[in-house]
Each structure stands twice: as C-alpha cells, then as structure tokens.
Amino acid sequence: NAGVTQTPKFQVLKTGQSMTLQCAQDMNHEYMSWYRQDPGMGLRLIHYSVGAGITDQGEVPNGYNVSRSTTEDFPLRLLSAAPSQTSVYFCASSSLFGLAGSYEQYFGPGTRLTVT
Amino acid sequence: EDQVTQSPEALRLQEGESSSLNCSYTVSGLRGLFWYRQDPGKGPEFLFTLYSAGEEKEKERLKATLTKKESFLHITAPKPEDSATYLCAVGAGGTSYGKLTFGQGTILTVHP
C-alpha cells in the first residue's frame, strides 16, 4: 500500500512550456485534490475531483487543467508555465464517507516546480 | 470567510520540555479540524481529526483538543524527532467541496 504517489519530485520549466504532474493513489479513494504550497500563503486548493469523470475548480485554478479518467489517477496539467507557478504541488486523496467525509485528506510527497 | 491562525510561528523546546501549540479558527459549519505534521521536503502527514468541541485524541506524545473557537496540540516530553512544522486545517460546508483551509503552521524545534 503506497498511499499517494507523485511524479516527478523535481521539475524545472521555461516560461511557456507545458507539462503534466502525475498523481496516483491505491486506497480506492473517491476524492482527490491538488494543492500548491507557497511561503506565507500556506496550502491552497487548485482543483478537485469526487470521482472518475467529475472535476471542479478550487481556490486558485487559473493556468491549470485536470481530468480524472480512473479512480486511481488525477494528473495536473500546466498549460503554459509562468514564473508565478513556481511552487510545491501536493496531491491529496480522501474517502467521501465517514464523519469527516472528503475533508480527512492524505497527502503525497510533493513535486517541487521551478519556472524560469 | 474561513480563517485559521496558528501560534506561535516558531517554538524552540528542550528535550522533555512540554508545551502546546494553538490553532484558532472561524468557520461556518465545521466539518472537521485536522492536524498534520510536515517534515522539510515532505508532504503533510495526517495526525488527527477532531469533530466537535470537547473532543480529545492522543498519539504517542501528542494530544489534540478542540473547543468551539480553537484547538490545542499538546506535546508531552518532546524528543528531537518531534521537530517538524505542525499544520492545522479546517473543513467547512458551504465552500468548495473538500476544501481545507490551512493555517500558516508552527515550526517546532526540539533540542537534545
């Protein structure tokens, strides 16, 4: 049981390049989400999904796309990278059931992205 | 707007010196208050979920408590390996589904 995995761990992009950050979970969780973590800003929600084929925007969605074709995978796409997207990106997953529902989330190890 | 404030920003303790971290929150419709531990270069590691005022949970040297306005993370006889950033977050109904609002964290350093 690997939990939530993310690849790559580190990435450097040039402005305007595109790329996909990969996220997978093996806990059969319905809910998956992407956060970015910036100094002084804390963790902020980018996009989330409550199941295969269902996605929605979070707090800071501009410049990012997501799709969810399987329960296990939830990739995050940067369409045209900008220096403002330099950050650490975390994927998280949760069951939709239980008292805390989608809020009791388990995080992956993160991808550190630098855009020059 | 949901808000979470953690204090202090940084805390230095000697090994064995017990203390508490504070998390104050304002939220509409609390669905849960969550404590995470984050080591440098790693993702947040889930510690506790608290649902209602008066609830307490323990794990090794850590004990989390919840009131209607704040939560405390008590650390008893800490060890150097307890050094990390401790994050508090709330989940609230009425916002983006599953959105956690995080505090800025408390950086805990325990000296041997």
Side-chain angles (χ1 to χ4, degrees):
Chain A
N1 189 332
V4 179
T5 58
Q6 294 183 237
T7 56
K9 289 187 178 180
F10 301 95
Q11 183 70 48
V12 179
L13 291 178
K14 294 185 177 180
T15 299
Q17 287 185 317
S18 62
M19 78 159 295
T20 300
L21 280 63
Q22 300 293 342
C23 174
Q25 53 93 8
D26 62 0
M27 297 175 282
N28 203 32
H29 283 166
E30 301 85 4
Y31 183 91
M32 297 185 74
S33 57
W34 278 100
Y35 288 83
R36 59 179 289 173
Q37 186 175 38
D38 302 291
M41 302 293 289
L43 283 141
R44 293 179 292 167
L45 181 66
I46 304 171
H47 285 288
Y48 65 93
S49 168
V50 297
I54 306 170
T55 64
D56 207 345
Q57 297 180 353
E59 186 180 0
V60 287
N62 293 339
Y64 307 95
N65 270 359
V66 292
S67 61
R68 183 121 178 249
S69 56
T70 68
T71 300
E72 294 78 19
D73 300 299
F74 190 43
L76 178 72
R77 297 182 186 84
L78 279 69
L79 308 173
S80 177
S84 61
Q85 294 179 304
T86 294
S87 187
V88 182
Y89 291 85
F90 291 102
C91 179
S93 74
S94 175
S95 169
L96 286 177
F97 303 100
L99 278 178
S102 63
Y103 298 97
E104 187 172 288
Q105 295 173 23
Y106 296 85
F107 286 79
T111 294
R112 186 174 297 274
L113 175 68
T114 302
V115 182
T116 61
Chain B
E1 183 179 336
D2 303 331
Q3 288 191 326
V4 177
T5 303
Q6 291 186 246
S7 61
E9 292 185 7
L11 180 63
R12 294 176 180 269
L13 299 173
Q14 290 297 126
E15 183 172 4
E17 179 186 3
S18 301
S19 188
S20 296
L21 313 182
N22 177 262
C23 171
S24 298
Y25 65 92
T26 56
V27 65
S28 299
L30 182 70
R31 293 293 304 275
L33 185 137
F34 308 89
W35 282 99
Y36 289 87
R37 169 191 171 129
Q38 186 172 26
D39 292 301
K42 302 285 183 65
E45 174 189 350
F46 174 80
L47 292 174
F48 301 110
T49 302
L50 301 168
Y51 299 104
S52 57
E55 189 174 1
E56 299 182 351
K57 288 195 176 173
E58 290 188 65
K59 179 181 180 179
E60 297 181 357
R61 295 177 293 281
L62 301 177
K63 179 181 177 179
T65 62
L66 182 65
T67 72
K68 288 186 177 180
K69 293 184 178 181
E70 57 191 352
S71 177
F72 293 94
L73 185 65
H74 307 278
I75 303 175
T76 302
K79 298 181 178 181
E81 53 262 42
D82 294 322
S83 297
T85 297
Y86 290 85
L87 299 170
C88 171
V90 295
T95 61
S96 295
Y97 193 72
K99 173 179 177 284
L100 292 175
T101 299
F102 281 86
Q104 296 298 315
T106 294
I107 302 170
L108 174 66
T109 306
V110 182
H111 297 283

